[in-house]
Amino acid sequence: MKEIIWFFIGVVLLGVISGILKPKKRRSARKQASKVKTKRKESSARASHRASKTCRPDEVLLTKPLNDLNGVEFERLLALYFRDQGYVVHEVGIGGNDGGVDLVIVDKRGERTAVQAKCYADHNMVPVQTVRELVAAKRNHNCMLTLLVTTSDLTGPAKKEAEQFRVEYWHGGLVGRKLESWNKWRPTKKRKLV
């Protein structure tokens, strides 16, 4: 008889303990869900700083000056350019959720280059953080080389960091000259080269 009583006491105690612990787990799950929602809101707020996440057709992009393109369109224009130069192009970071790499280009020898594209107004400079993100992210895509392409330029510290970590970078003027010599990009209005 004592064994049955102890058995019931044990079952009741286990029920009480699990009842005490279970709400904490639920609260924890709610907190985690809340954190995920907050992170989503923050990332969508960051992404909404772009003019648009849509991309006009390739034929249209080839007729627009750089300052008329949004970030997604600039990435697409670069993809078209690199394909025409003989690279295999993987568009990995379309629309801003790129983790530091927008394109991975592979040359004829199989050498992989991580490319980060920044379509900024002339007065906005690429910060050092962008260079650091690209250097760190290239490993995630099995790339040996890195290239940062911007319609503006890099800040002084970003240039120094790029040189230190051997990140090749193309500033606005160089990008303009490369695209003009491509002969497929024919903007209707000429953009002033930096």
Side-chain angles (χ1 to χ4, degrees), residues 147-160:
L147 172 62
L148 196 149
V149 183
T150 179
T151 54
S152 62
D153 204 351
L154 280 67
T155 63
K159 286 179 182 179
K160 186 175 179 181

Side-chain angles (χ1 to χ4, degrees), residues 7 19 48 74 90 92 99 105 107 125 155 170 176 187 190:
F7 175 76
S48 67
F74 182 58
H90 304 283
V92 296
I105 57 174
D107 67 12
M125 307 281 265
T155 63
W170 298 353
K190 292 290 182 189

Side-chain angles (χ1 to χ4, degrees), residues 82 87 105 113-116 131 134-135 145-150 154 161-163 165-171 174 178:
F82 285 120
Y87 290 90
I105 57 174
T113 302
V115 179
Q116 176 63 281
V131 176
L134 177 57
V135 169
L145 303 172
T146 49
L147 172 62
L148 196 149
V149 183
T150 179
L154 280 67
E161 193 97 358
E163 289 169 13
F165 289 103
R166 296 186 179 142
V167 174
E168 183 179 351
Y169 63 90
W170 298 353
H171 57 79
L174 180 59
K178 284 184 180 286

Side-chain angles (χ1 to χ4, degrees), residues 61-186:
L61 298 181
L62 293 170
T63 64
K64 296 294 179 189
L66 294 177
N67 57 351
D68 286 352
L69 301 178
N70 64 40
V72 175
E73 293 171 337
F74 182 58
E75 292 168 18
R76 182 69 186 147
L77 182 64
L78 289 176
L80 296 171
Y81 171 80
F82 285 120
R83 276 194 186 99
D84 239 39
Q85 304 306 310
Y87 290 90
V88 173
V89 178
H90 304 283
E91 297 178 59
V92 296
I94 303 303
N97 299 323
D98 55 33
V101 175
D102 294 311
L103 307 171
V104 172
I105 57 174
V106 185
D107 67 12
K108 291 176 177 132
R109 298 175 304 199
E111 223 168 50
R112 297 170 60 89
T113 302
V115 179
Q116 176 63 281
K118 291 294 181 190
C119 187
Y120 288 163
D122 290 334
H123 63 278
N124 287 339
M125 307 281 265
V126 177
V128 69
Q129 185 62 30
T130 301
V131 176
R132 291 176 182 158
E133 288 171 1
L134 177 57
V135 169
K138 77 176 182 179
R139 292 181 197 101
N140 297 334
H141 298 281
N142 297 320
C143 296
M144 292 298 296
L145 303 172
T146 49
L147 172 62
L148 196 149
V149 183
T150 179
T151 54
S152 62
D153 204 351
L154 280 67
T155 63
K159 286 179 182 179
K160 186 175 179 181
E161 193 97 358
E163 289 169 13
Q164 178 183 351
F165 289 103
R166 296 186 179 142
V167 174
E168 183 179 351
Y169 63 90
W170 298 353
H171 57 79
L174 180 59
V175 172
R177 286 190 292 278
K178 284 184 180 286
L179 291 175
E180 284 172 356
S181 68
W182 176 31
N183 291 327
K184 284 195 176 180
W185 181 63
R186 300 203 184 276

